[in-house]
Amino acid sequence: MFSKACEYGIKAAIFIAVNSSENNRVSPKEISEEIDSPQAFTAKILQALVKNNVIKSVRGAYGGFEIDKDKIATIKLAQIVYAIDGDGIYNGCGLGLHTCNENHPCPVHDKFKVVREELRDMLENTTLDQLASDIKSGVSFLKI
């Protein structure tokens, strides 16, 4: 459903949110190790998240990546997905066909339309704070 870059972007944002809520910045190396992503690939993903104002980059000896504490509760998963993959996830064909729409539907068009709508709802109504809280409380995990 999500591109690999988007999966890593979501994981990275959650990891940064958990650490930021405890007043800690994290390095690109720490992030790539936590989310099991190559460092160079992680760096590109982090750049996209910074460019789209999801996370902040702080330079210097005590630098790293962070999210303002008050912003963690307002960042929605939809913002992260958009920063990495754009809005294609809401428009793509369930079978990957180039031409699939209401006038020329693929066999799963109507069923996949429902899935896309539910996905949009989940992404637009789930905050980083909710996900970071689940990690901190041990309800969910980023790494097994």
Side-chain angles (χ1 to χ4, degrees):
M1 186 122 259
F2 298 117
S3 70
K4 196 51 116 171
C6 193
E7 289 176 13
Y8 289 145
I10 292 169
K11 290 180 192 177
I14 295 169
F15 180 65
I16 295 166
V18 168
N19 281 277
S20 293
S21 69
E22 298 167 355
N23 297 316
N24 297 319
R25 290 186 184 125
V26 287
S27 71
K29 183 179 180 189
E30 290 172 300
I31 296 166
S32 67
E33 287 173 0
E34 180 65 24
I35 67 172
D36 290 323
S37 169
Q39 251 187 292
F41 193 40
T42 302
K44 287 183 179 187
I45 293 164
L46 295 172
Q47 285 175 348
L49 293 175
V50 168
K51 181 179 174 188
N52 284 272
N53 298 312
V54 174
I55 64 174
K56 277 184 11 182
S57 175
V58 178
R59 296 183 185 268
Y62 299 101
F65 291 92
E66 66 181 11
I67 302 171
D68 291 333
K69 271 185 164 182
D70 59 326
K71 209 175 158 192
I72 294 171
T74 65
I75 296 172
K76 310 281 191 204
L77 278 182
Q79 292 169 258
I80 299 164
V81 172
Y82 184 79
I84 307 293
D85 282 349
D87 64 357
I89 194 163
Y90 304 125
N91 305 316
C93 171
L95 296 179
L97 302 177
H98 294 290
T99 306
C100 176
N101 55 45
E102 296 292 326
N103 297 326
H104 192 73
C106 74
V108 298
H109 182 81
D110 292 330
K111 289 180 180 10
F112 197 69
K113 184 176 168 183
V114 173
V115 171
R116 274 197 313 262
E117 288 168 4
E118 288 178 11
L119 177 64
R120 180 189 299 267
D121 184 56
M122 185 272 294
L123 293 174
E124 291 177 351
N125 291 295
T126 304
T127 66
L128 272 183
D129 187 49
Q130 293 168 310
L131 302 174
S133 294
D134 286 348
I135 298 286
K136 289 190 285 189
S137 69
V139 172
S140 61
F141 305 90
L142 279 177
K143 204 173 188 179
I144 296 175

